[in-house]
Amino acid sequence: MTTPVPDVRMSPTAAVGLVASREISTRVKSKAFRVSTVIMLLLIVVGIVLIKLISGGSGPDAKVGISTATAAFSAPLKAVGKTLGENIETTQVADEAAGRAKLADGSLDALLTGDGKSVHVQVKKDLDGKLANVLQLLSQQVAISQQVTALGGNPAQFQAAIASAKFVEDPPLEEPYDYNGQQLVLGIVAGILIYLSLMINGQSVAQGVVEEKTSRVVELLLSTIKPWQLMAGKVLGIGVVGLIQMLVIGAGGVIAGLATGVLTISVSAAVGTVVWLVVWYLLGFFMYSIVFAALGALVSRQEDVGGATMPALMFVIAGYVIGISVLPSDPGNTFVEVLSVIPVFSPTLMPMRLAMGGVPVWEAVVSVGLVVLLIPGLIWFAARIYRNAVMRTGAKVKLRDALRAA
């Protein structure tokens, strides 16, 4: 009698979990994972420390020397500078010769010369543009004061009247959002981390598929589990590894920023940024990695992976480039707002906007909802390609052949 062969098939959940655990164990224990995580974390921490050191001193924007003849310009010069957002420090010099010596050794950025009836300035080489604007406005005030005196008026009263005159701003039609500089930086950092994670871990999915095809491991695996289970397990496993890396880097960066005082925003705002970072990493990774797995199944050589996945990568790159190019100078840009709701651009653009703040709740909900709705369709699409192409080696499988194959 023939001994019956036992049925070794597993449940779909067990099969996906087995593949995922294998990916997690292999990659977390790898030297490449540990080294890359440490390097990225160190880069974040070192960057924060450098920002702390660079911004440690809040010195003046310009040091201007004044002589006895130009001493009357000291107070109005500082006042004009404050109006234009420039912190100007004035230093008394014995005479113009002593002032030029300080210019030569770099102690002064500029020296006011002349008899004090008009504004004359001397610099070592080039006059700073912002300081030039301050001096231009100062010279206009001096000229106005001289004209007021010539007409028999009181220049001090005139200047006081001018200084106290203010326009009245009516309430805006829409409530503006005050973008905090640190929030802008957090947004850009969030976008960079998402971008790097999608590029690195997404590509890892495609490369892993090709490795298994090349080594024939896929044939052994598919004798026990179904193609979609293998694909889902691989995506899930690499996604968890990427999430671990993201949490370590994000939490480490926030802790370092709060500890050094570089981040002065509330802890809840910083934690909120990390939470959204995790949410959009997961959404973006699963959305794109499902596609990367399918595209990786079309080729049989590692050198062909880049070309196969490039069409999908272009959307990741485009969203990242648009975000870092437009948002720092124009956080409320309408074009970026629209793109951030479109699923292919959401994973890179929306976390930047959310970290910066000012995103309406409905936009955040719609963007998440659209990605969630798109993922099942992508799973069906990618599973069909993967199932029909993963066992075919040799020449690259055309996309339309993979879609219509039985």
Side-chain angles (χ1 to χ4, degrees), residues 73 116-119 137-147:
F73 292 150
K117 295 180 180 179
S118 60
V119 179
L137 186 55
L138 174 64
S139 63
Q140 291 174 355
Q141 288 189 0
V142 170
I144 290 173
S145 297
Q146 291 173 348
Q147 290 297 317

Side-chain angles (χ1 to χ4, degrees), residues 46-57 262:
V46 169
I48 290 172
V49 172
L50 288 177
I51 292 174
K52 177 66 175 180
L53 293 175
I54 293 172
S55 61
V262 171

